[in-house]
Amino acid sequence: MCGIQEVYYVKNGVIRKKNSIFNKLNHDFEILLTEKSEIQILNNLSKINKDTMIDIIGVINNMGSIKISMSNAGMQLKRKEIEIVDDTYSKISLMLWNSNQIDNFDGDRNYIIVLKNIKVSDNYGIKSLNLQFTTKILINPNLDEVKIKMKNTTIDIIALINDLKEPTKISASNGETYKKQEIILIDEGLKTIVLNLWNENINNFEGKKNDIITISNVKIGEFKNQKTLALTNATQIIINPDVPEANRRV
């Protein structure tokens, strides 16, 4: 049973326009579940108690701009919010205060970040993270845990097809020949990522340059410092889907 303010991961669901006869909610779309669908409840960072000291590893999802506010004592304060998404897809903001913390922070969007011994704060019910004297920050650390999290992870992505390379033939060590085609995508963060198609998948691919593409359950990897995507048996591809995100050109 699903609960209010819980976070869930839904796999193999189908997004479609809602059926107004049966769905009276104030939304334009709904998720249709099938016998292959899976629903998993995720731990929510918002449930961690105030003033708890935690360690967290995540991805920097957004870098806020510097804002100026006044303290109760009339002092001017600089503040910058860094939105982090952890491996349960929970979001929480890291708060940086004043020039020292802001200027010394060298993270950027889509970077891996590790925070050790950081304090959970609560401001009117909104949880955030605040640095302490004992807090340690690592950006894109060379840790086995990070490698495990990033390697062979399956993701869902919506992107713009920027280019389609000509198929090439690759000879394997066993003497067999394979066809490969690279599809160059640009995601919503304006990052380039390569979708690799092999053999019959090349002929079955219907996308064209400047089409919007959504891909679910695609495996992410890395080759020569370039992020790559590989299809799996569970991968689903939709070209120019009828969802709001597809109407926003990247």
Side-chain angles (χ1 to χ4, degrees):
M1 179 67 69
C2 296
I4 297 175
Q5 295 185 338
E6 298 285 359
V7 180
Y8 295 89
Y9 172 69
V10 180
K11 182 177 180 180
N12 292 328
V14 179
I15 298 178
R16 67 179 188 181
K17 287 187 176 181
K18 76 173 183 180
N19 186 334
S20 299
I21 297 176
F22 302 102
N23 188 343
K24 302 300 182 182
L25 296 177
N26 189 26
H27 298 283
D28 294 328
F29 294 86
E30 61 188 11
I31 299 177
L32 176 66
L33 302 180
T34 69
E35 65 275 6
K36 295 183 179 180
S37 299
E38 299 178 18
I39 301 178
Q40 177 184 354
I41 188 170
L42 302 176
N43 294 325
N44 196 332
L45 283 170
S46 65
K47 292 186 175 181
I48 298 176
N49 292 332
K50 177 183 177 181
D51 297 332
T52 301
M53 304 297 291
I54 65 171
D55 301 336
I56 182 174
I57 180 171
V59 178
I60 297 175
N61 190 54
N62 189 43
M63 301 276 292
S65 58
I66 297 176
K67 297 181 179 179
I68 306 296
S69 60
M70 301 298 293
S71 70
N72 293 333
M75 296 179 58
Q76 181 174 282
L77 300 174
K78 289 183 179 181
R79 183 181 83 253
K80 185 171 185 176
E81 293 187 26
I82 311 297
E83 185 182 68
I84 297 173
V85 179
D86 73 358
D87 58 348
T88 69
Y89 303 97
S90 296
K91 296 180 181 180
I92 195 167
S93 290
L94 167 65
M95 309 299 296
L96 302 179
W97 296 92
N98 296 323
S99 298
N100 185 43
Q101 293 184 5
I102 294 173
D103 294 343
N104 290 330
F105 186 79
D106 57 359
D108 203 350
R109 193 170 186 269
N110 293 327
Y111 282 16
I112 298 293
I113 183 171
V114 175
L115 299 168
K116 185 172 179 61
N117 207 33
I118 192 159
K119 185 177 181 180
V120 177
S121 300
D122 190 324
N123 185 23
Y124 298 104
I126 299 177
K127 297 290 173 54
S128 61
L129 302 174
N130 281 272
L131 302 181
Q132 305 297 301
F133 288 114
T134 56
T135 300
K136 292 184 179 180
I137 301 177
L138 298 175
I139 302 296
N140 286 334
N142 186 20
L143 300 177
D144 290 339
E145 182 180 2
V146 174
K147 292 179 180 178
I148 292 172
K149 287 178 180 292
M150 295 299 292
K151 184 179 180 181
N152 294 331
T153 299
T154 57
I155 65 171
D156 300 337
I157 184 174
I158 181 168
L160 174 76
I161 299 177
N162 189 53
D163 194 15
L164 294 87
K165 301 296 185 181
E166 289 296 323
T168 58
K169 292 184 178 180
I170 297 177
S171 297
S173 57
N174 60 5
E176 294 189 18
T177 300
Y178 301 92
K179 288 179 65 177
K180 176 185 176 183
Q181 184 179 23
E182 294 184 350
I183 311 298
I184 311 302
L185 308 178
I186 298 179
D187 68 10
E188 292 183 290
L190 302 183
K191 301 291 185 180
T192 300
I193 192 166
V194 177
L195 170 64
N196 288 320
L197 300 179
W198 297 87
N199 298 329
E200 67 274 7
N201 289 327
I202 297 175
N203 297 328
N204 295 334
F205 187 75
E206 299 177 349
K208 303 182 297 297
K209 186 174 181 178
N210 293 327
D211 280 351
I212 296 294
I213 183 173
T214 63
I215 315 175
S216 61
N217 291 314
V218 66
K219 184 182 293 184
I220 186 169
E222 186 170 315
F223 180 71
K224 294 183 178 180
N225 296 322
Q226 171 67 61
K227 290 291 188 298
T228 60
L229 300 175
L231 305 185
T232 69
N233 291 333
T235 299
Q236 294 183 342
I237 296 177
I238 302 177
I239 303 297
N240 292 324
D242 187 17
V243 295
E245 287 82 356
N247 295 323
R248 293 188 290 109
R249 292 284 165 171
V250 178

